Amino acid sequence: MSRRHMILAGFFYNPQGDHRMSWRHPDAPEREVFGLDYYRSLAEAAEQAKLDAIFIADHLGVWDTYPSGMLHYANARLEPLTLATALAAVTKNIGLMVTASTSYSEPYNLARMFASVDHISNGRIGWNVVTSALAEEAANFGRDAVIDHAVRYQRAAEFLEVAKALWDSWADDALLIDKASGAFADPARVATLDHQGAHFRVRGPLNVPRGPQGHPLVVQAGSSDPGKELAAAHADVHFAVLRSEEEGRRYRADLDARLARRGRAPESLKILPGILPVVAPSRKEAEDRQAELEALMPDRIGLDLLSSWAGIDLSSFPLDGPLPDLPDQNSFEGWKTWLKIVHDEKNKGLTIRQVARNIANTGSVPMVAGTPSEIADQMESWFLSGAADGFNLMFPLLPDDWLRFMQGVIPELQRRGLFRTEYEAGTLRDRLGLKRPENRFAAARAIAAR
Amino acid sequence: MSRRHMILAGFFYNPQGDHRMSWRHPDAPEREVFGLDYYRSLAEAAEQAKLDAIFIADHLGVWDTYPSGMLHYANARLEPLTLATALAAVTKNIGLMVTASTSYSEPYNLARMFASVDHISNGRIGWNVVTSALAEEAANFGRDAVIDHAVRYQRAAEFLEVAKALWDSWADDALLIDKASGAFADPARVATLDHQGAHFRVRGPLNVPRGPQGHPLVVQAGSSDPGKELAAAHADVHFAVLRSEEEGRRYRADLDARLARRGRAPESLKILPGILPVVAPSRKEAEDRQAELEALMPDRIGLDLLSSWAGIDLSSFPLDGPLPDLPDQNSFEGWKTWLKIVHDEKNKGLTIRQVARNIANTGSVPMVAGTPSEIADQMESWFLSGAADGFNLMFPLLPDDWLRFMQGVIPELQRRGLFRTEYEAGTLRDRLGLKRPENRFAAARAIAAR
């Protein structure tokens, strides 16, 4: 099953935009980020542009380990699953990919909510599975420190096993609703799990029938080795941080090999690298716009962010001196994707101040800037070379950059035949070219009945 | 602060109606109960009638301990918090009271979702706090049996303490969003909790700012002694099961005494007894309608329900013989409200079959039946005598009984000046005559600053 069109998701974590100080921009929204109307207008613009989905990132806490966090950072936000559910009620076609953590919740609760929103949205919900790497998050859930990386990923894998079994606990034909006989459901087509694992014991069945997508779309975003293994085992969509087309092709090959080892076809996992698209009359003007945002960054934030990503408090080191030895990437228990960015070649030999500015300002994904045509060129190249199935669009400033992209770049991609001009019928899975998962219990019953 | 109008909430657990076999009725909805449109039409009718709220009950599992459950009972439903959030997006004024359990979730997660929906709904969300008494629920969360009643209530009280502290963790004026200085929030007006209790350790702060209501409305529904204590300590609204006006007045006095011991005024807790309103040309025809529903009840369901409520498997006892000795109400670890109903005087001396029919059919709350004027008479009497601040309306059959009430009884109550004809401005709290809670941290800071 090949897909002619690229997959596009409009991303946000900060509702003011992906640049950490975007909230200070004169055009940034203020208190309206705490109401539905702001998001509804973003969603409507994206739906008008026929985007596949909105992707909402999340953390289970504020960022205040370092002193600048609470003062300068836009820590307050809405919870994404409830926000996405409200958006599902006021949109018709666009998908909603929502971040939720497997480390600090129960599979029955999350599986149930996602199943419920799958019904409410007519099959448009996706779950971005994360494991929560921040110390601030751990402390909100009774822990002195972040759970070990390996344990987090073991728990995530078991969590997904249980969630998928719960989604399968009602066969698609289990509901009879036979008023005459009084049979609401066929007990033989409703399965208990009696799951007993290292992290969870869950009896089941779920109390929500199987949804339009069978399983809500599963998205995974961590690119550590256990992260990629989790994606290969369970995900439909993988959100990657890639710096070049070449890295994208290598990354695709790596994941294809992992999929093959599990008997999965390459097209069963869509890879969406994040890009930072900035529409401007020229690359130069786009860079000027970025510089305008960079000028809003207090020095202290960059340093504190670097401390956080590196897992070392750097406040006592000379700002214009070199970085101390960084933690080993293999044994690091924090957010490996971020540590990897600090370790990047381009930061070698730079001072702490320089590295701090680098990471605080440019973020983690490549900027794709210029005219709509120039941006479309780059996206087309990544897409056609097989480096990407589409993109997670991370805009520096919302709503401006979001609207510029929808109004400028989308029509250009449509003209080139790279993006849909109308929504196809069906669920989010259908539109992404992903199969509706078979029901494991129904399949087992069919084998047993032979 | 006295309130001229009664408070009215439209309740459902089964989306087909409160009678357990309502789904079999020819007019009952079928698969549409798994989509938003059905609930939107209920909500629109209720909002048109100016109802205070919709109240959605919940369990964290199916009811299948006894064999008839999975076959005959309408076990599949949507998850209420996501459903209510979707309804918040498509309504403007009506409140949404949603059940969520303190026994099988984390305070940070639930406090955050309710805070978020308080923003999304512009201050219309309420949380019906339950502790989950079913064995089926326990088994979905790693437990061999239901958590002890006392422990569940201790956990609930601590859970609410933490949730309220999280809702207070941002002062109302903590958000500065000062683009010029780069100060997003005032760190001195954002509090960490560093809560360490018997059940939870939570650092905080929440990552959602304080909502329009300060605290989402807190509803509590269990009428055991620990349940009433929880209500007196924490609730704004108490949902009660009362059989008579006289019982209502005694119940009110009991709760007033409990409130007084905690320094709370009687008007700070609204008591809403459940009633089953059936609009029909006469009481006789209403009873015929009930008999029609009763005829849909398979014998086996009544027996199994009685076994479940009594905490004894009765399937081996002679159906036409007497009930065996029931468990003691004080030491019972199951759902005390239900056991109490089995213990009721009217069941004394009846056979198992008769008690089973009684409890399976009539449900737990009094039927208020007849013409709109007759129904309004009874509601008026309860309201004016102080037996009730309003009612939780539990309709035998949805959407029919819901629509009949909205179209028939509401105008009658309005004519009598007992119910609003337009929504007042403000939040759900405002409309119920409840104060916006003070922020504990802001209050402490004010005292410290003196």
Side-chain angles (χ1 to χ4, degrees):
Chain A
M1 180 160 33
S2 82
R3 223 180 151 277
R4 270 180 49 245
H5 294 154
M6 56 178 69
I7 298 165
L8 295 179
F11 170 101
F12 63 85
Y13 170 55
N14 295 316
Q16 303 89 351
D18 199 60
H19 189 277
R20 281 176 194 78
M21 284 295 121
S22 56
W23 72 264
R24 290 187 69 184
H25 192 280
D27 298 336
E30 301 186 6
R31 281 166 208 270
E32 60 265 42
V33 300
F34 305 114
L36 180 58
D37 288 347
Y38 172 68
Y39 301 95
R40 188 201 311 240
S41 70
L42 289 180
E44 284 170 354
E47 198 165 44
Q48 178 74 24
K50 320 297 176 200
L51 233 63
D52 291 279
I54 292 172
F55 185 121
I56 314 181
D58 191 41
H59 294 306
L60 297 168
V62 300
W63 185 68
D64 72 346
T65 306
Y66 292 92
S68 61
M70 192 48 72
L71 176 63
H72 293 308
Y73 191 63
N75 265 309
R77 65 194 69 244
L78 297 179
E79 187 281 328
L81 184 53
T82 47
L83 174 57
T85 304
L87 290 176
V90 297
T91 54
K92 272 217 164 345
N93 289 295
I94 197 161
L96 298 151
M97 301 178 181
V98 179
T99 301
S101 173
T102 54
S103 293
Y104 303 117
S105 57
E106 290 282 341
Y108 199 91
N109 290 333
L110 264 195
R112 194 176 169 224
M113 287 188 143
F114 276 102
S116 188
V117 185
D118 201 35
H119 286 284
I120 289 170
S121 66
N122 291 315
R124 293 186 285 137
I125 194 73
W127 171 17
N128 176 38
V129 178
V130 299
T131 67
S132 306
L134 299 180
E136 284 96 333
E137 299 178 292
N140 290 328
F141 296 89
R143 297 195 166 262
D144 294 319
V146 172
I147 306 170
D148 286 356
H149 191 272
V151 175
R152 288 207 312 272
Y153 275 87
Q154 287 154 15
R155 180 178 162 114
E158 188 182 334
F159 198 114
L160 276 165
E161 273 301 325
V162 174
K164 289 182 170 185
L166 286 168
W167 292 328
D168 285 348
S169 61
W170 292 71
D172 288 310
D173 56 1
L175 285 172
L176 304 173
I177 317 190
D178 183 345
K179 292 179 174 182
S181 73
F184 187 84
D186 178 355
R189 291 180 238 174
V190 184
T192 48
L193 281 59
D194 295 319
H195 172 87
Q196 305 220 9
H199 296 90
F200 306 107
R201 285 194 302 145
V202 180
R203 175 178 175 265
L206 203 61
N207 55 359
V208 183
R210 205 160 192 257
Q213 296 186 96
H215 300 172
L217 192 80
V218 174
V219 186
Q220 189 278 338
S223 56
S224 67
D225 192 70
K228 288 188 211 166
E229 280 303 303
L230 188 68
H234 284 294
D236 303 298
V237 170
H238 180 68
F239 169 32
V241 173
L242 303 170
R243 259 70 48 94
S244 69
E245 218 179 287
E246 170 53 28
E247 187 184 351
R249 285 194 300 271
R250 274 186 280 117
Y251 199 88
R252 175 82 252 181
D254 175 23
L255 271 169
D256 285 354
R258 293 174 196 262
L259 290 168
R261 284 198 289 277
R262 294 172 184 269
R264 289 182 62 187
E267 61 269 25
S268 70
L269 181 69
K270 309 299 182 189
I271 303 182
L272 307 186
I275 56 171
L276 201 78
V278 180
V279 178
S282 68
R283 170 98 202 172
K284 169 74 176 61
E285 281 162 275
E287 281 168 0
D288 288 348
R289 287 192 75 245
Q290 275 306 92
E292 190 186 349
L293 283 171
E294 290 180 17
L296 299 173
M297 178 74 69
D299 261 342
R300 184 73 208 199
I301 273 268
L303 178 69
D304 288 348
L305 194 70
L306 179 55
S307 292
S308 183
W309 287 24
I312 308 169
D313 182 351
L314 296 165
S315 59
S316 59
F317 290 79
L319 254 181
D320 294 310
L323 268 177
D325 286 346
L326 294 171
D328 182 75
Q329 293 191 58
N330 293 318
S331 58
F332 191 56
E333 297 297 346
W335 203 303
K336 286 178 194 265
T337 306
W338 287 350
L339 179 63
K340 197 173 156 209
I341 290 163
V342 181
H343 266 284
D344 194 89
E345 274 304 318
K346 74 170 179 205
N347 291 328
K348 291 276 183 298
L350 300 190
T351 65
I352 289 177
R353 188 195 304 272
Q354 290 165 329
V355 178
R357 290 237 141 218
N358 267 354
I359 70 155
N361 276 313
T362 57
S364 51
V365 304
M367 183 165 77
V368 178
T371 64
S373 169
E374 285 165 341
I375 291 174
D377 285 347
Q378 295 172 73
M379 292 173 72
E380 177 169 5
S381 172
W382 282 59
F383 178 60
L384 294 183
S385 77
D389 293 303
F391 300 91
N392 211 5
L393 307 165
M394 306 168 77
F395 300 101
L397 176 66
L398 297 181
D400 277 19
D401 287 319
W402 180 288
L403 299 176
R404 287 183 197 211
F405 185 92
M406 303 306 160
Q407 290 155 13
V409 182
I410 291 289
E412 178 62 28
L413 293 170
Q414 288 170 330
R415 263 192 295 278
R416 299 181 187 195
L418 293 167
F419 197 60
R420 71 168 65 78
T421 53
E422 288 301 334
Y423 281 109
E424 308 85 9
T427 66
L428 177 58
R429 264 182 196 282
D430 294 332
R431 289 185 187 140
L432 264 53
L434 291 161
K435 285 186 191 148
R436 189 168 189 271
E438 270 190 77
N439 185 312
R440 71 193 62 198
F441 298 110
R445 277 189 293 270
I447 290 164
R450 262 188 224 154
Chain B
M1 181 159 34
S2 81
R3 223 181 152 276
R4 271 180 47 243
H5 295 154
M6 56 178 69
I7 298 165
L8 295 179
F11 171 101
F12 63 86
Y13 170 55
N14 295 317
Q16 304 89 351
D18 199 59
H19 189 278
R20 282 176 193 77
M21 283 297 121
S22 56
W23 72 264
R24 290 187 70 184
H25 193 279
D27 298 336
E30 302 188 6
R31 281 167 208 271
E32 59 265 43
V33 301
F34 306 114
L36 181 58
D37 288 347
Y38 172 67
Y39 301 95
R40 188 200 310 239
S41 70
L42 289 180
E44 284 170 354
E47 198 165 44
Q48 178 74 23
K50 320 298 176 200
L51 233 62
D52 291 278
I54 292 172
F55 186 119
I56 315 180
D58 191 41
H59 293 308
L60 297 168
V62 299
W63 184 68
D64 71 346
T65 306
Y66 291 93
S68 61
M70 192 48 72
L71 176 63
H72 293 308
Y73 191 62
N75 265 308
R77 64 195 67 245
L78 297 179
E79 187 282 328
L81 183 52
T82 47
L83 173 56
T85 304
L87 289 176
V90 297
T91 55
K92 274 218 161 343
N93 289 296
I94 198 161
L96 298 151
M97 300 179 182
V98 179
T99 301
S101 173
T102 54
S103 293
Y104 303 118
S105 57
E106 291 281 339
Y108 200 90
N109 290 334
L110 264 195
R112 193 177 171 223
M113 286 187 145
F114 277 102
S116 188
V117 184
D118 201 36
H119 286 285
I120 288 170
S121 66
N122 292 314
R124 293 186 285 135
I125 194 74
W127 170 18
N128 176 39
V129 177
V130 299
T131 67
S132 305
L134 298 180
E136 284 96 333
E137 299 178 291
N140 290 328
F141 296 89
R143 297 196 167 261
D144 295 319
V146 172
I147 306 171
D148 285 356
H149 191 272
V151 175
R152 288 207 312 272
Y153 276 86
Q154 286 154 16
R155 180 178 162 116
E158 189 182 334
F159 198 113
L160 276 165
E161 274 301 324
V162 173
K164 289 182 169 185
L166 287 167
W167 292 329
D168 285 349
S169 61
W170 292 71
D172 287 310
D173 57 359
L175 285 172
L176 304 174
I177 317 191
D178 183 344
K179 291 180 174 183
S181 73
F184 187 84
D186 178 355
R189 290 181 240 175
V190 184
T192 49
L193 282 58
D194 295 320
H195 172 87
Q196 305 220 9
H199 296 90
F200 305 107
R201 286 194 301 145
V202 180
R203 175 179 175 265
L206 202 61
N207 54 359
V208 183
R210 205 160 190 257
Q213 295 187 97
H215 300 171
L217 192 81
V218 174
V219 185
Q220 189 279 336
S223 57
S224 66
D225 192 71
K228 287 187 211 167
E229 280 302 303
L230 188 68
H234 284 293
D236 304 298
V237 169
H238 180 67
F239 169 32
V241 173
L242 302 171
R243 259 71 47 96
S244 70
E245 219 179 287
E246 172 53 28
E247 186 184 354
R249 284 192 301 269
R250 275 187 279 116
Y251 199 88
R252 176 81 252 180
D254 175 23
L255 271 167
D256 284 354
R258 293 173 196 263
L259 290 167
R261 284 198 288 277
R262 294 171 185 269
R264 289 181 63 186
E267 61 268 25
S268 70
L269 181 70
K270 309 300 182 189
I271 303 182
L272 306 187
I275 56 171
L276 202 77
V278 180
V279 178
S282 68
R283 170 97 203 173
K284 169 76 177 62
E285 280 162 275
E287 282 167 1
D288 290 348
R289 287 192 75 245
Q290 275 306 93
E292 190 187 350
L293 283 170
E294 290 180 18
L296 299 173
M297 177 74 68
D299 261 343
R300 183 74 208 198
I301 272 268
L303 179 70
D304 289 349
L305 195 70
L306 179 56
S307 292
S308 183
W309 287 24
I312 308 170
D313 183 349
L314 296 166
S315 59
S316 59
F317 290 78
L319 254 181
D320 295 311
L323 269 177
D325 287 345
L326 293 172
D328 182 76
Q329 294 191 59
N330 292 317
S331 59
F332 191 55
E333 296 296 347
W335 202 304
K336 286 177 195 265
T337 306
W338 287 350
L339 179 62
K340 196 173 157 208
I341 290 163
V342 181
H343 266 285
D344 194 89
E345 274 306 316
K346 73 170 180 205
N347 291 328
K348 290 276 182 298
L350 300 190
T351 65
I352 289 178
R353 188 193 306 271
Q354 290 165 328
V355 178
R357 289 238 142 218
N358 267 353
I359 70 156
N361 276 312
T362 58
S364 50
V365 303
M367 185 164 78
V368 179
T371 63
S373 169
E374 286 166 339
I375 292 174
D377 285 347
Q378 296 172 74
M379 293 172 71
E380 178 169 5
S381 173
W382 282 59
F383 179 60
L384 294 183
S385 77
D389 293 305
F391 300 91
N392 210 5
L393 307 165
M394 306 169 78
F395 301 100
L397 176 66
L398 296 182
D400 277 20
D401 287 320
W402 181 288
L403 300 176
R404 286 183 198 211
F405 185 92
M406 304 305 160
Q407 290 155 13
V409 182
I410 291 288
E412 179 62 27
L413 293 170
Q414 289 170 331
R415 263 192 295 278
R416 299 183 186 194
L418 293 167
F419 197 60
R420 72 167 66 76
T421 53
E422 288 302 333
Y423 282 109
E424 308 85 9
T427 66
L428 176 59
R429 265 181 196 282
D430 295 333
R431 289 185 188 140
L432 264 52
L434 291 162
K435 285 186 191 148
R436 189 168 188 272
E438 271 189 76
N439 185 311
R440 70 193 62 197
F441 298 110
R445 276 189 294 269
I447 291 165
R450 265 188 223 153

